[in-house]
Amino acid sequence: MIGPLRPAVFLDRDGTLMEEVEYCRDPAKVRLFSGVIGALDELRAAGFATVIITNQSGIGRGWITEAEYASVHARLLELLGAARIDSTYYCPDPPGVESLFRKPAPGMVLQAARELRLNLERSWFVGDKAADIHCGRNAGTRSILVRTGYGRTENSEGAESAVDSFAEAARYILDRLDRITS
């Protein structure tokens, strides 16, 4: 028998978990924000899957290669501890190209929900851009804007809350937890 669907926290990558580096292609430039590891541990302990959802238009624009993206992402997972992330979905499509997957379209979230058996109604999306907030809402999750990366200047319209860091977003989610059972 297959168990109940699990809630998730969908995470933007650049500007949310790690410092924003415009079209990062160098693994040496990957720097985690303070408190990210502890926040991920708390969310996972509460029963949430943690899934990275990231637009990587630099690939589609020809500014970075798939191999450069992969090396940066491998470094991020090395710093985080790969076991803290259930899965990663990325979209290389550039702006202006019709895409079901480029945020704010919900395609990556919906794919993750199908593949990982996730309950979107009990899930959250945390990111530093309006596209992240709208992606979450378009997929049926609640959304939080973090004021890191581009979030310092983004409009928080549509977000349930705007907070100063991913660690604060995790606390916000956990404070509203309706006891998740696995």
Side-chain angles (χ1 to χ4, degrees):
M1 180 172 168
I2 297 175
L5 299 180
R6 184 175 175 196
V9 177
F10 296 98
L11 312 156
D12 175 55
R13 190 186 83 167
D14 306 280
T16 301
L17 299 176
M18 63 183 251
E19 292 178 11
E20 176 65 45
V21 176
E22 194 88 6
Y23 303 104
C24 188
R25 63 174 7 125
D26 181 357
K29 292 185 177 181
V30 176
R31 306 257 185 284
L32 296 180
F33 285 116
S34 177
V36 165
I37 291 173
L40 289 170
D41 287 344
E42 289 180 41
L43 290 168
R44 292 181 60 77
F48 286 96
T50 51
V51 181
I52 295 174
I53 302 289
T54 180
N55 283 346
Q56 293 295 319
S57 70
I59 297 168
R61 297 173 190 213
W63 297 345
I64 66 171
T65 66
E66 291 267 353
E68 288 169 327
Y69 160 76
S71 67
V72 166
H73 199 69
R75 177 64 178 149
L76 173 69
L77 294 177
E78 178 185 339
L79 292 173
L80 288 175
R84 289 187 174 94
I85 301 297
D86 289 280
S87 195
T88 298
Y89 295 81
Y90 75 98
C91 179
D93 298 338
V97 171
E98 191 171 326
S99 175
L100 299 175
F101 293 93
R102 180 177 167 74
K103 296 180 287 182
M108 289 186 282
V109 173
L110 298 176
Q111 181 181 357
R114 281 189 307 274
E115 292 176 358
L116 304 174
R117 297 192 32 78
L118 303 174
N119 180 334
L120 293 176
E121 291 177 4
R122 295 180 63 211
S123 295
W124 296 78
F125 199 114
V126 179
D128 70 320
K129 291 184 179 177
D132 300 317
I133 301 313
H134 297 296
C135 177
R137 291 182 55 93
N138 290 338
T141 75
R142 296 159 78 179
S143 298
I144 299 174
L145 180 77
V146 290
R147 299 253 182 239
T148 51
Y150 290 105
R152 293 179 193 95
T153 58
E154 284 286 304
N155 183 328
S156 63
E157 184 178 332
E160 181 166 316
S161 183
V163 297
D164 289 333
S165 68
F166 176 67
E168 285 184 36
R171 279 193 294 280
Y172 183 91
I173 292 166
L174 293 168
D175 285 348
R176 282 144 189 84
L177 191 61
D178 58 327
R179 287 303 138 214
I180 297 168
T181 56
S182 301

